[in-house]
Amino acid sequence: MLFGAVPIVWSAIMSFQNNQLTGNTSYVGLRNYRLMLHDPVVAQAVQHTFVYTALFVPGTMIVGLFLAVAMNRKIRFISLYRTAAYATMAISTISEAIVFIWLFDPSYGVVNYFLSLLGIPQQQFLNDPSQALYVIVIMTIWGWTGFSVVIYLAALQGVPQMLLDAAAVDGASKWTTFRRVTLPLLSPASFFLAIWLTINAMQLFDEVYLSTAGGPLNATTVLVYYLYEQAFQNFNFGYASAIAYLLFLIIIVVTAVQFRVGRRFTYYRS
């Protein structure tokens, strides 16, 4: 409680100060918050954060659901496949970033090699402002898919077999059974994943810091990375604290909307 409450209160106080942690601290009221309204980088960071979240969350859920359904069968070496899927969660972010920087390297990357076989020109990927954010989306989807697979696998184990058998007896196809029976019963797991992944997406930092450092041309600058720049590169801790509370407000609003909308589409089996 102490280690959680004190930083929250302290950062709230600093957001109303001109604070460089050098001792010369002055109260500036709402100036830091007004500055955010006219800061073009903040607007860019908010936009990049929302674009990333809108791609990352459904992408991770769809890939995770596909793999979970594929692994929810009694086949040989299924335990090995499940372990391999979850292994992405055990790999450090540094290792993940190094691998993807190598894969998407413009000069000798494997992805460009395969694209050349298809006659597609060499791409710049992380060096291209129009592509860098999407490469980070792919990187993080790969890293979080294991988590999604585990959640969906657990939910699939709870789908009553008698409902699936009843649908088959009624002549429903496998796709109809999946859409009409399985998916509704997976809605609590989907609801949980949507909330959890959204909160994590809004706090994206490690992959940006390690792969692009917010570039090129601020194309991958998200709110947490800009907060880091202001606090630990520019030593503008008051402004950084205000950005942190902007992010906190965004997360609260987005999560509240998700809860309000998600409850209408979530089926809880009694």
Side-chain angles (χ1 to χ4, degrees):
M1 181 67 180
L2 177 65
F3 293 103
V6 171
I8 291 174
V9 174
W10 189 26
S11 63
I13 295 173
M14 284 198 300
S15 70
F16 298 102
Q17 297 175 338
N18 178 21
N19 192 326
Q20 282 84 34
L21 294 187
T22 58
N24 299 322
T25 301
S26 59
Y27 177 77
V28 295
L30 296 174
R31 191 184 74 177
N32 288 325
Y33 292 95
R34 287 196 295 268
L35 284 175
M36 283 195 298
L37 298 177
H38 305 286
D39 188 341
V41 182
V42 169
Q44 284 183 315
V46 171
Q47 179 184 357
H48 296 155
T49 300
F50 276 113
V51 169
Y52 168 79
T53 302
L55 296 174
F56 165 77
V57 174
T60 304
M61 293 175 64
I62 291 171
V63 175
L65 178 59
F66 174 81
L67 292 177
V69 171
M71 295 179 186
N72 190 39
R73 296 180 294 172
K74 295 181 180 179
I75 57 177
R76 295 183 63 186
F77 308 117
I78 189 61
S79 298
L80 178 63
Y81 300 146
R82 291 176 179 177
T83 302
Y86 188 70
T88 58
M89 289 296 297
I91 297 175
S92 69
T93 306
I94 295 176
S95 301
E96 175 187 331
I98 291 173
V99 169
F100 273 84
I101 289 172
W102 172 70
L103 287 173
F104 287 93
D105 186 271
S107 301
Y108 53 82
V110 175
V111 176
N112 259 333
Y113 169 74
F114 284 109
L115 291 179
S116 67
L117 297 179
L118 300 174
I120 299 175
Q122 186 183 58
Q123 304 296 313
Q124 292 300 307
F125 295 122
L126 290 170
N127 295 333
D128 188 336
S130 66
Q131 298 177 355
L133 186 63
Y134 302 108
V135 174
I136 292 177
V137 170
I138 295 171
M139 182 193 310
T140 49
I141 286 177
W142 181 86
W144 277 91
T145 291
F147 179 77
S148 182
V149 167
V150 169
I151 298 299
Y152 274 128
L153 267 177
L156 285 168
Q157 299 297 315
V159 176
Q161 185 61 41
M162 63 179 182
L163 294 181
L164 303 178
D165 294 338
V169 170
D170 289 340
S173 64
K174 290 185 177 180
W175 168 245
T176 302
T177 302
F178 177 76
R179 186 165 56 93
R180 297 290 188 179
V181 179
T182 305
L183 270 183
L185 293 174
L186 294 180
S187 57
S190 298
F191 183 46
F192 165 76
L193 280 172
I195 299 293
W196 184 269
L197 294 174
T198 298
I199 292 173
N200 278 275
M202 292 285 183
Q203 301 176 76
L204 174 69
F205 173 76
D206 293 356
E207 289 81 1
V208 171
Y209 175 80
L210 293 167
S211 60
T212 63
L217 302 177
N218 288 332
T220 59
T221 297
V222 290
L223 275 173
V224 176
Y225 186 80
Y226 190 51
L227 184 161
Y228 161 81
E229 277 190 335
Q230 290 297 320
F232 299 105
Q233 293 183 8
N234 301 334
F235 299 102
N236 193 350
F237 289 91
Y239 191 46
S241 297
I243 296 173
Y245 271 86
L246 170 64
L247 176 61
F248 173 73
L249 177 62
I250 291 174
I251 292 175
I252 289 294
V253 171
V254 171
T255 304
V257 171
Q258 285 182 308
F259 267 102
R260 187 173 183 84
V261 174
R263 286 175 179 171
R264 300 178 183 179
F265 303 98
T266 304
Y267 171 77
Y268 293 99
R269 184 167 55 91
S270 60

